[in-house]
Amino acid sequence: MTITENKPANIIGTRLLRREDPPLLTGEAKFTNDLNIPGALHLSVLRSPYAHAKIKSIDVSAALKIAGVIAVYTGKDLQSAWAAPMPCAWPVTADMKNPPHFPLAIDKVNYVGDGVAAVLATNETASRDALDAIDVEYEPLKAVVDLEDSLSDKNIIHQDLGTNKSYTWPLLVEETPGCVAEAFKKAKYKVKERYVQQRLIPMAMEPRAIAAVPQPFGGDITLYSSTQIPHILKVMTAITLGIPEQQVRVVAPSVGGGFGSKLDVYAEELLCMALARKHNAPVRWVEERSENTQATIQGRGQIQHIELAADENGKITAVRVRIVGDMGAYLQLVTPGVPLLGAFLYAGVYDIPKAYDFECTSVFTNLTPTDAYRGAGRPEATYAIEMAIEALAREMKIDSFELRKRNYIKKEQFPYTAFSGLTYDSGDHLLAAEKAAKMTDLVGVRAQQKKQNVPGATKLLGVGMSSYFEMCGLAPSRVLASLNYSAGGWEAATVRVLPTNKVQVITGTSPHGQGHETSWAMIAAEKLGVAPEDVDVLHSDTAISALGLDTYGSRSLPVGGVAIALACDKVIEKAKLIAAHQLECSADDLQFENGTFSVKGSPDRALPLAAIAFGAFTAHNLPDGCEPNLEAQVSYDPPNFSWPFGTHMCVVEVDTETGAVEILKYIAVDDCGNQINPLIVEGQVHGGVVQGIAQALFEEAVYDSDGNLKSSNLAEYLVPAACDVPAITTAHTVTPSPTNQLGVKGIGEAGTIGAAPTVITAIIDALSSLGVTTMAMPASPQTVWRTINEATRGGKQ
Amino acid sequence: MIPAAFDYKRASSAAEAISLISQYGSDAKFLAGGHSLLPLMKLRLAQPAMLIDIGRVKDLSYVKDAGNHIAIGALTQHMDVENSKVLHEHAPLLSKAASHVGDAQVRHRGTIGGSIAHADPASDLPATTLALGATYVVQGPKGQREIAAANFYKGFLESDLAADEMLIEIRVPKMQGAGWSFQKFNRRAQDWAIVGVAAWRRKGEAGVALVNMGSTPILATSVANAIAKGASISDAAAMASNEAEPQSDLNASTEYRKHLASVLVRRALEAASK
């Protein structure tokens, strides 16, 4: 038997079906609310109906009379339960204003949905009924809803702060002092644009759910939560509640989506834990859908001003950006950092000199707090630069693709040190863009457009595109330190070969739909020469996976997956020493292939990993000084972000009579380096693109001037369904990342980043013959119709 | 999503249902497919003390050729209206409209009678039966009576049905080969129409009704009269909103709704004239 005859197909790069799907599709998977917890008390939270009001009095007496109600707590009642306010882990500047934020409001409510009272009852119905029986007297105050109104400080939300401004964060990068102003002065072409990123509701399919289970003795407590971040949650809840960290265990059972909304420490988690300890009984809570629209963080919420300066050839010479960021009523876990994640990407994929002037001012409003939502800062930045490129092309009266080509960072310039000081490790923007153009049949579509978009036509064709770079794989810890982030960006992994040659992978990533169990098993199987089904992946329980920094920012593969590969290397290294000992040769003479060590040149002298694993377990015959068992642990801090990129294009038809937009074709060319499982990559791109299309055409958290959410359920907040979005054609270029051994980059957020500008630029292109140059998001039929009316009326004057 | 407490009785016949509703009066509501009532109850916007479940009254689920008209039992599910061969032949406009209600799951639970009795101006079937000149048969403690669709809708979610009456049958005149079109404009396939139009045309005769253009389904009589007098389709369509008083909401202002109505009525009449 020779090794080559027995060589299995490579596992990495195959479209292995997700092992997660059968339990999810058959209902076997257990979500937090599926857990059967005998004796659990049910928590319900009374929420403020006012965006801004003083609490004059709270009368809970009628609620306490309802059968099954155990207790009702107000914010004042629980003041002593908190060792610290709710955490914000990202104080972006030394003077950032951060109002104290507690799980229940104490004497003032600051958004519709702010918690006012907590009911505990023996059953869910009684706790829900009790909410209707609590009598709160409010004194309504003027609500601050609009960002520019907030900036004016006419009405101050947190009086003690003296201002609505949380922080101003500048980033000025100049080759020589004053060169930005100089570039604008000298510029042949200039554009100055304003864009609004509407607030979005992340709307995970599973709303949040929590169960806190205290142990009867010893003070230990287990928190089950539908969260993306069991590890961070453990640290943060221990600090906020003043519990020794080793007494807290956090478990994330099956989690039905997060998109950033479950990357947070929430009031209800703290309430469940505090009340479980107080009553020495399990306490559980599950969010209602309408409650989810108010009590779970929202995303986006920015006003962007961007200016480009360009020379006579359209080469961009300077970029100036001013942002107003909507923090909402309080700072949640990473709220203030979200706009800054985009700060480095306002130059997009373009070769721009050190002439960059960025400033973000973030303000409080009487609205639900914002925080990270799929892409977090990067979709906003990409939208602004891509829309501004289109504006510049219009100004220059040249094709926008041609303008992009003049400005793309060229393939031979990589690794490319950007003006920001960050190094883009790899890329080939022209290749991705040309591939997208070919797949779109750009030449054919343009010809068709000429025929179709004649005066008087009511069905107008348009093509849109967006090229993006994404800064993900969060993140090198030192870079995070330079941004004032309170934690690191490493990830931990343990790989253990059991005596029977089955493998356990323990990861600090915390999947909630991404298919980590499948992908991580594939990595370990490929490295160790075992079948993927022989690899079990353990995660999302701090008692099993003690170390980790969880899942967000497209970090799981380029940080957590690479950590697993490194741990496999360590296992192989140790196994090699044992093999050398048992085969009586030098370790240097051994090669490892397909799960077997053999002496180079004499393949008959071989020892399979299975034998070594068993030998490591019996420990009968190990080299001197070698510890029993075959296991290795790694904590991996990435040397750089990962930099996926690509170009998306789409073709739309706009019905100018109704304003309806139909996407006829959507092409996504993404480069995430090497792919572990292309099936999963495709799924991530599809989901991301749909969320980007949703921002472009469908979704918006609409508030009235009193701060009431008008789109507070799924009939009003328009999450598109499968039949409302086009078929998506995906393709890839493969530029392996040079900074990790797998050559991988994150892909979780890329689709979202590419899609919104692609769709909006297509609509503007379709309507360009009518004089349309702007389009607000979401481009609802009414918005499109109004924009056409404004443009054509303007044209007549 | 926990509704307020309520009692529940199941009726096995129309007679039993009417006897129960006579007993419990205005605190009671009929539960058929539940697709309008239950969402309101979950949000506690509706808190009936008694639900009388008529969902299993089998003798009210049918589509029959009754000579001049088609008789449809009130508890016939949208799916059966959509797929009925009798309706395909004699009232295809109604089948088409039924195929636009919600999504497949909704169409397997919701009933034509429930939709009409709920009298939601944003629903597809009230306006469509109105355009077709349907008659509704209702039964109360004192027996049956017939109400023309044109006299049935009284206000937002209000109809001529008395508290102790039950809608039992919808009678739709045969379309006799008229051209027709159902236009539903919305942002997502599963949603209520922002504006909808049900229209038919036979030479100089036309019937047009509007979805979600006021507090009730609206019969666009000006359009029909204009067609009868020989007006062009576009001139007639310009009168689409003459009888309407459309509201403003997140999807559409009053002005935009009126504009959409004229575009959609024109398209519907053009399609119906082919």
Side-chain angles (χ1 to χ4, degrees):
Chain A
M1 186 193 91
T2 64
I3 287 161
T4 43
E5 273 172 3
N6 201 23
K7 185 172 169 62
N10 286 339
I11 297 159
I12 287 182
T14 59
R15 301 170 70 87
L16 193 65
L17 293 179
R18 298 186 352 146
R19 60 171 65 177
E20 290 87 346
D21 289 339
L24 287 170
L25 294 173
T26 58
E28 181 196 313
K30 291 271 179 279
F31 294 86
T32 299
N33 207 41
D34 296 326
L35 302 177
N36 184 12
I37 302 172
L41 301 176
H42 289 262
L43 170 73
S44 290
V45 179
L46 180 70
R47 301 190 180 281
S48 168
Y50 291 101
H52 198 193
K54 279 186 188 153
I55 300 171
K56 304 283 281 182
S57 65
I58 304 179
D59 181 356
V60 304
S61 53
L64 285 168
K65 285 184 192 136
I66 291 172
V69 171
I70 303 284
V72 181
Y73 295 99
T74 66
K76 277 197 180 121
D77 297 336
L78 290 180
Q79 257 177 309
S80 62
W82 321 120
M86 288 171 60
C88 171
W90 205 337
V92 295
T93 60
D95 61 351
M96 181 184 84
K97 305 271 195 304
N98 179 17
H101 179 200
F102 292 96
L104 292 177
I106 290 167
D107 44 23
K108 186 163 161 280
V109 289
N110 289 312
Y111 67 97
V112 174
D114 212 351
V116 174
V119 175
L120 272 192
T122 54
N123 64 82
E124 214 172 337
T125 308
S127 79
R128 172 64 188 82
D129 286 346
L131 297 185
D132 292 346
I134 299 172
D135 188 17
V136 185
E137 195 190 338
Y138 295 97
E139 181 190 327
L141 302 168
K142 177 95 181 81
V144 179
V145 175
D146 176 78
L147 291 190
E148 277 148 352
D149 180 36
S150 173
L151 261 182
S152 77
D153 276 339
K154 264 186 297 196
N155 295 290
I156 290 175
I157 297 166
H158 302 288
Q159 286 295 335
D160 291 349
L161 304 181
T163 174
N164 290 327
K165 292 186 203 77
S166 176
Y167 67 87
T168 295
W169 191 90
L171 174 67
L172 179 64
V173 183
E174 293 192 316
E175 187 70 53
T176 54
C179 73
V180 171
E182 191 67 17
F184 276 96
K185 207 185 287 170
K186 276 203 242 158
K188 167 85 184 188
Y189 298 103
K190 279 184 280 197
V191 291
K192 187 174 183 178
E193 297 276 300
R194 178 183 184 271
Y195 306 118
V196 177
Q197 300 286 333
Q198 78 268 35
R199 270 179 174 253
L200 300 174
I201 299 175
M203 208 65 91
M205 196 182 289
E206 183 206 11
R208 289 184 296 125
I210 298 160
V213 182
Q215 307 307 316
F217 304 102
D220 287 5
I221 186 163
T222 301
L223 173 67
Y224 298 90
S225 182
S226 176
T227 181
Q228 296 173 227
I229 53 162
H231 297 91
I232 295 173
L233 204 51
K234 177 173 70 102
V235 180
M236 292 300 181
T237 54
I239 292 172
T240 310
L241 290 160
I243 309 175
E245 187 188 342
Q246 82 283 6
Q247 293 187 348
V248 179
R249 172 185 172 199
V250 179
V251 182
S254 284
V255 176
F259 314 112
S261 72
K262 294 174 184 169
L263 157 53
D264 233 307
V265 179
Y266 279 105
E268 296 81 6
E269 286 162 331
L270 297 164
L271 285 169
C272 282
M273 288 176 84
L275 296 177
R277 280 159 55 86
K278 211 175 177 94
H279 289 262
N280 205 20
V283 172
R284 68 193 310 168
W285 173 80
V286 63
E287 192 174 46
E288 296 186 356
R289 177 59 68 189
S290 304
E291 196 175 23
N292 172 269
T293 65
Q294 300 179 339
T296 292
I297 64 96
Q298 298 179 358
R300 315 285 189 262
Q302 285 183 11
I303 296 174
Q304 306 165 298
H305 298 268
I306 181 168
E307 291 173 75
L308 303 182
D311 68 13
E312 62 281 5
N313 298 315
K315 194 89 182 66
I316 299 165
T317 53
V319 181
R320 190 184 282 140
V321 177
R322 293 290 179 272
I323 292 179
V324 186
D326 183 353
M327 304 285 94
Y330 301 103
L331 303 182
Q332 285 277 351
L333 191 65
V334 300
T335 305
V338 170
L340 310 188
L341 281 173
F344 306 102
L345 292 180
Y346 278 88
V349 296
Y350 307 111
D351 181 20
I352 290 174
K354 281 192 177 174
Y356 179 67
D357 177 3
F358 173 94
E359 192 177 279
C360 173
T361 298
S362 286
V363 297
F364 295 105
T365 54
N366 286 117
L367 304 175
T368 294
T370 61
D371 207 324
Y373 171 56
R374 203 171 192 173
R378 293 152 290 168
E380 296 93 313
T382 304
Y383 183 86
I385 180 66
E386 288 303 283
M387 290 285 286
I389 285 276
E390 295 280 332
L392 181 59
R394 276 194 299 275
E395 177 77 19
M396 295 175 65
K397 298 187 172 56
I398 65 167
D399 178 66
S400 65
F401 190 14
E402 169 58 28
L403 180 61
R404 284 183 175 86
K405 286 179 190 169
R406 292 182 194 176
N407 284 285
Y408 281 145
I409 301 167
K410 291 179 183 50
K411 183 186 171 190
E412 53 275 15
Q413 287 177 276
F414 290 97
Y416 176 91
T417 302
F419 64 81
S420 55
L422 294 168
T423 300
Y424 303 162
D425 57 20
S426 56
D428 191 344
H429 300 303
L430 188 59
L431 182 69
E434 285 185 332
K435 187 165 185 171
K438 199 166 161 201
M439 290 173 66
T440 307
D441 183 22
L442 186 58
V443 177
V445 173
R446 287 289 183 209
Q448 171 65 26
Q449 190 180 29
K450 221 169 214 174
K451 262 190 259 167
Q452 188 171 331
N453 293 10
V454 293
T458 58
K459 295 280 174 72
L460 300 181
L461 211 57
V463 191
M465 75 180 289
S466 154
S467 296
Y468 73 90
F469 229 147
E470 189 195 349
M471 181 181 97
C472 69
L474 306 179
S477 298
R478 285 180 186 183
V479 176
L480 291 177
S482 73
L483 293 171
N484 263 4
Y485 183 62
S486 307
W490 49 265
E491 194 46 81
T494 299
V495 171
R496 185 180 296 145
V497 187
L498 300 173
T500 55
N501 202 33
K502 307 296 177 192
V503 178
Q504 285 180 326
V505 169
I506 301 162
T507 176
T509 66
S510 189
H512 38 283
Q514 295 88 344
H516 291 179
E517 291 179 14
T518 302
S519 300
W520 294 182
M522 290 170 77
I523 293 171
E526 173 97 22
K527 294 288 281 190
L528 299 173
V530 299
E533 53 271 26
D534 285 340
V535 183
D536 200 9
V537 178
L538 306 175
H539 58 80
S540 306
D541 179 346
T542 61
I544 293 170
S545 150
L547 300 174
L549 284 170
D550 308 314
T551 288
Y552 43 83
S554 304
R555 69 187 304 274
S556 295
L557 177 59
V559 191
V562 172
I564 291 163
L566 292 167
C568 289
D569 287 343
K570 270 179 128 169
V571 163
I572 293 164
E573 215 173 294
K574 177 170 180 181
K576 195 183 223 178
L577 293 176
I578 299 172
H581 173 71
Q582 297 188 354
L583 291 168
E584 297 178 342
C585 66
S586 151
D588 293 342
D589 293 338
L590 284 175
Q591 61 185 14
F592 182 62
E593 219 172 13
N594 302 314
T596 298
F597 287 96
S598 60
V599 177
K600 287 173 200 160
S602 39
D604 290 349
R605 291 179 65 197
L607 205 52
L609 187 67
I612 298 168
F614 196 73
F617 166 69
T618 62
H620 292 175
N621 182 18
L622 298 178
D624 288 345
C626 178
E627 290 176 16
N629 290 318
L630 202 46
E631 167 184 280
Q633 189 185 323
V634 161
S635 286
Y636 168 68
D637 200 357
N640 193 352
F641 291 95
S642 96
W643 299 95
F645 64 91
T647 291
H648 291 198
M649 282 195 183
C650 78
V651 181
V652 301
E653 191 172 76
V654 183
D655 179 338
T656 58
E657 288 188 299
T658 62
V661 173
E662 189 186 356
I663 302 176
L664 304 177
K665 205 189 266 189
Y666 195 101
I667 309 291
V669 178
D670 296 287
D671 192 323
C672 57
N674 293 332
Q675 300 181 10
I676 303 300
N677 183 332
L679 184 70
I680 289 179
V681 170
E682 232 166 67
Q684 286 291 326
V685 173
H686 279 228
V689 165
V690 171
Q691 272 179 321
I693 291 174
Q695 177 174 14
L697 296 181
F698 294 99
E699 297 183 13
E700 181 176 20
V702 183
Y703 286 91
D704 68 15
S705 58
D706 292 325
N708 298 302
L709 181 62
K710 308 304 282 180
S711 52
S712 64
N713 59 53
L714 287 168
E716 311 282 0
Y717 188 83
L718 305 183
V719 177
C723 54
D724 304 310
V725 291
I728 296 159
T729 308
T730 60
H732 300 276
T733 59
V734 179
T735 314
S737 168
T739 65
N740 65 66
Q741 63 156 277
L742 297 173
V744 295
K745 310 172 183 183
I747 192 65
E749 297 162 295
T752 318
I753 293 171
T758 302
V759 173
I760 296 295
T761 57
I763 299 171
I764 295 175
D765 183 61
L767 301 177
S768 59
S769 60
L770 304 176
V772 168
T773 57
T774 65
M775 185 59 62
M777 294 192 291
S780 70
Q782 177 169 264
T783 296
V784 172
W785 177 73
R786 281 179 175 162
T787 310
I788 292 170
N789 281 349
E790 280 158 21
T792 47
R793 253 181 249 137
K796 276 176 199 162
Q797 284 164 0
Chain B
M1 302 300 271
I2 299 173
F6 58 87
D7 283 328
Y8 173 90
K9 298 260 182 202
R10 183 187 297 160
S12 55
S13 67
E16 189 187 353
I18 289 155
S19 144
L20 284 168
I21 201 121
S22 305
Q23 192 181 333
Y24 292 100
S26 59
D27 284 348
K29 283 292 263 183
F30 286 128
L31 174 69
H35 276 66
S36 301
L37 181 59
L38 294 184
L40 294 175
M41 287 175 64
K42 284 195 206 170
L43 294 168
R44 298 196 174 195
L45 294 172
Q47 303 196 0
M50 167 64 75
L51 283 190
I52 298 163
D53 186 352
I54 54 172
R56 299 187 205 191
V57 179
K58 281 281 181 291
D59 53 358
L60 289 182
S61 175
Y62 55 80
V63 178
K64 287 180 203 156
D65 187 334
N68 286 335
H69 69 264
I70 307 300
I72 305 167
L75 289 170
T76 308
Q77 287 169 355
H78 302 314
M79 208 66 185
D80 294 326
V81 174
E82 178 182 351
N83 294 323
S84 157
K85 291 220 165 66
V86 175
L87 287 172
H88 288 180
E89 191 180 340
H90 297 295
L93 172 58
L94 183 59
S95 289
K96 186 71 178 178
S99 77
H100 279 276
V101 174
D103 55 27
Q105 285 158 303
V106 170
R107 294 196 292 276
H108 272 96
R109 299 289 301 179
T111 63
I112 184 169
S115 175
I116 288 168
H118 190 55
D120 186 339
S123 291
D124 299 313
L125 302 185
T128 305
T129 51
L130 184 60
L132 288 169
T135 301
Y136 305 144
V137 181
V138 306
Q139 190 172 329
K142 292 175 203 151
Q144 293 188 2
R145 64 186 181 113
E146 292 179 22
I147 310 168
N151 298 325
F152 182 77
Y153 300 101
K154 298 296 182 192
F156 183 68
L157 307 185
E158 277 177 43
S159 73
D160 197 42
L161 263 181
D164 57 358
E165 283 180 320
M166 179 175 159
L167 175 61
I168 58 167
E169 187 175 277
I170 293 92
R171 291 178 183 166
V172 181
K174 289 185 175 176
M175 290 176 66
Q176 296 173 0
W180 57 273
S181 173
F182 185 75
Q183 301 276 330
K184 182 170 183 175
F185 189 81
N186 54 16
R187 291 174 67 188
R188 296 181 305 183
Q190 62 183 325
D191 288 331
W192 284 281
I194 295 172
V195 176
V197 175
W200 59 267
R201 182 171 189 189
R202 196 168 37 231
K203 293 176 190 157
E205 230 189 318
V208 179
L210 309 175
V211 181
N212 212 6
M213 284 293 287
S215 56
T216 64
I218 303 289
L219 198 57
T221 47
S222 300
V223 177
N225 290 341
I227 293 288
K229 286 181 192 151
S232 71
I233 286 177
S234 53
D235 286 350
M239 298 178 216
S241 299
N242 279 13
E243 291 77 23
E245 284 180 21
Q247 68 287 9
S248 230
D249 61 25
L250 290 186
N251 286 316
S253 66
T254 297
E255 184 200 9
Y256 178 56
R257 270 209 165 79
K258 287 182 174 174
H259 167 78
L260 277 180
S262 63
V263 171
L264 298 176
V265 166
R266 191 197 76 219
R267 288 180 182 178
L269 286 173
E270 281 168 358
S273 304
K274 273 177 189 159

